[in-house]
Amino acid sequence: MIANWQRRVRSSPRARDTTTALLLFAVSFPGSLYVATGSPDPAAPWWTAALLSGVSCTALLFHRDHPRTALALTTAAAVTSAAQGRLLTVLSLGPLMVALYSFALRTEHNALRRSYVFGVAALLMTTEVIAGPADRPLDLETVGPAAWVLMPTALGSAVRLRSAYLDAVRARAEHAERTREEEARRRVAEERLRIARELHDVTAQHLALANAQAGTLAHLLRGQPDQVHEILADLATTTSAALRELKATVGLLRHEGTKDTKGTEDTEESGESEDASSPTAPGLARLADLTASFRSAGLDVTVSTEGEPQQLTPAADLTAFRIVQEALTNVTKHAAAKTARVRLAYSHDRLTLTVADDGGALRSAPPTPQVRGGFGLVGMRERAQSVGGRLRAGPGPGGGFEVRAELPLGETALARETALAIRSRPGAKPPSAARPSST
């Protein structure tokens, strides 16, 4: 039976409050029957002490939902007991101390809490001084009641602050966990997009060239069989180059994934061998080879340079190469153009890259992003934005289709790449100055 009552007390707040009230009544009623000398008080009947203790303890049954009401009732009972000449001790003030603890625990406004507490202390001390016996020590009438009022208040405030601190720590931990999960999902999505963009850029050009060469081969078989061997050699070269670049790209992605899973110490120890085995990313230095590969598909590409050529960052160099590659591939796939122009214009802070065709008849679709579909223009625009540049694609001023990209040079490009490196770390955010320009 006792065990059942204990379980019920632990599980039910109402049972705990009832048990506390009964125990406090058993303590506060005998403690309020005596004055400072320890002899019974003949001026007030004993039943008034029982009544006041009963009111105080009963008020504690509502201290969870109505802490101010419980504090007011217990304070009124304590003041009435002091007005009858009874000594306010820790025993008689037990219900008031519990009410003060509950009030401090459930009141967040500091000013309201201080006004209530100091008001209760002043009321008790004033009543003790006025109604108490003249021979009672002054410190017993003032310091004692003030201490019994302030101690439970301080304890309740400390418990409330600790509970708020633990709630804040728990909320921060949950927020950090959600942030880590969101960051992980974001990085996975970015990595998938990057892999898809790399594979698209690697395979699209070679497959488009192979398709064009195959069509040319079929045409030559009917009218000019003596040129078939040359086209076959170009087709074999194109497919071999596609396989090599695809293998290099997959190897680079595998290399980066393995490097991310290793510790910093292992990476430093094996850095030389890893760098030696890593494939080199293409850049504008290979622009001549790129344009030459399109000639076998019947597209004559001319390259012009304006301004003083400047050294690009690795990311900007790769981006410029991929934009030219994708733009020329789109010309081969979607238009019957015979010539295309690649223009590189260098200024003090940016490279303006323009790829335009001669406006030949369309093969299958109008040269607009909405009708062409696919991910070529989307990928070029994402690449330009990734290095802090911008890209515009649409009909050219002299006919045909034109792709125009502006890529930053010098400190602007370095600041952008630094911001991207910082953002790639978990939980980090890039500086506002390094945000991509709007297109």
Side-chain angles (χ1 to χ4, degrees):
M1 181 177 180
I2 297 178
N4 293 335
W5 174 255
Q6 290 178 347
R7 285 194 297 269
R8 183 180 179 184
V9 169
R10 293 193 188 98
S11 61
S12 174
R14 180 63 63 183
R16 288 198 300 271
D17 293 341
T18 302
T19 304
T20 302
L22 292 175
L23 293 177
L24 286 174
F25 180 79
V27 172
S28 63
F29 170 53
S32 61
L33 293 176
Y34 296 92
V35 293
T37 58
S39 58
D41 182 14
W46 64 270
W47 59 267
T48 57
L51 178 62
L52 294 175
S53 298
V55 171
S56 297
C57 295
T58 303
L60 296 180
L61 298 177
F62 312 100
H63 74 97
R64 297 181 185 274
D65 299 328
H66 307 283
R68 297 183 190 179
T69 303
L71 178 60
L73 291 176
T74 53
T75 301
V79 169
T80 304
S81 179
Q84 292 178 351
R86 295 188 174 90
L87 180 64
L88 298 180
T89 64
V90 65
L91 297 178
S92 61
L93 292 178
L96 177 60
M97 295 173 67
V98 173
L100 285 168
Y101 172 82
S102 178
F103 176 76
L105 183 64
R106 292 169 172 81
T107 303
E108 297 182 357
H109 300 286
N110 294 329
L112 180 63
R113 186 170 58 251
R114 285 195 296 266
S115 62
Y116 269 76
V117 171
F118 288 118
V120 171
L123 190 59
L124 290 178
M125 289 188 295
T126 302
T127 305
E128 274 279 85
V129 171
I130 295 175
D135 58 347
R136 185 176 297 172
L138 184 61
D139 56 350
L140 198 63
E141 295 178 340
T142 56
V143 177
W148 302 131
V149 168
L150 296 178
M151 285 175 58
T153 303
L155 180 60
S157 299
V159 173
R160 182 183 57 82
L161 291 176
R162 177 173 174 79
S163 177
Y165 170 76
L166 294 178
D167 291 341
V169 170
R170 190 179 303 108
R172 283 197 298 268
E174 294 175 355
H175 176 71
E177 183 66 24
R178 289 194 301 268
T179 302
R180 282 194 296 268
E181 294 177 356
E182 293 173 359
E183 179 70 14
R185 287 194 294 268
R186 183 188 66 81
R187 297 187 68 182
V188 168
E190 289 182 353
E191 186 66 14
R192 292 177 61 184
L193 179 61
R194 187 176 71 90
I195 292 174
R197 188 166 55 234
E198 289 293 335
L199 293 178
H200 173 273
D201 292 342
V202 168
T203 59
Q205 179 223 354
H206 296 291
L207 291 178
L209 286 178
N211 181 66
Q213 290 167 349
T216 304
L217 181 62
H219 175 72
L220 292 176
L221 282 174
R222 293 192 297 266
Q224 299 174 338
D226 54 330
Q227 299 182 10
V228 169
H229 294 287
E230 182 180 352
I231 299 299
L232 283 176
D234 291 339
L235 182 58
T237 302
T238 300
T239 54
S240 298
L243 291 174
R244 285 196 305 270
E245 194 163 353
L246 182 60
K247 181 179 180 181
T249 302
V250 174
L252 177 61
L253 296 174
R254 182 183 295 273
H255 163 76
E256 291 180 353
T258 304
K259 186 176 180 180
D260 290 339
T261 58
K262 292 182 179 180
T264 305
E265 183 176 353
D266 295 339
T267 303
E268 292 177 355
E269 292 179 358
S270 59
E272 296 181 359
S273 61
E274 288 178 352
D275 292 341
S277 62
S278 299
T280 303
L284 292 180
R286 293 174 51 183
L287 190 57
D289 297 336
L290 176 65
T291 56
S293 65
F294 282 93
R295 292 192 178 97
S296 62
L299 181 65
D300 186 17
V301 183
T302 59
V303 180
S304 62
T305 303
E306 299 179 5
E308 184 67 23
Q310 300 182 34
Q311 185 68 30
L312 281 75
T313 62
D317 198 18
L318 174 62
T319 297
F321 179 85
R322 293 302 189 194
I323 289 176
V324 175
Q325 182 186 54
E326 179 63 27
L328 294 177
T329 300
N330 286 343
V331 173
T332 305
K333 290 167 57 177
H334 300 293
K338 298 299 182 181
T339 62
R341 303 177 303 278
V342 178
R343 175 174 166 268
L344 305 176
Y346 291 91
S347 64
H348 69 284
D349 62 344
R350 66 182 54 248
L351 166 64
T352 302
L353 178 65
T354 306
V355 181
D357 57 56
D358 60 2
L362 295 176
R363 289 181 178 173
S364 59
T368 59
Q370 292 81 0
V371 180
R372 282 190 176 191
F375 302 98
L377 293 177
V378 175
M380 286 191 290
R381 185 170 287 108
E382 289 174 350
R383 281 191 177 276
Q385 291 177 353
S386 68
V387 295
R390 56 185 179 181
L391 183 139
R392 184 191 68 83
F401 196 80
E402 181 182 85
V403 175
R404 181 185 179 91
E406 296 181 0
L407 306 179
L409 297 174
E411 295 181 358
T412 305
L414 290 176
R416 175 64 186 177
E417 292 191 18
T418 302
L420 290 176
I422 294 175
R423 191 180 65 178
S424 64
R425 301 173 185 172
K429 294 182 180 180
S432 58
R435 292 177 181 171
S437 303
S438 60
T439 57

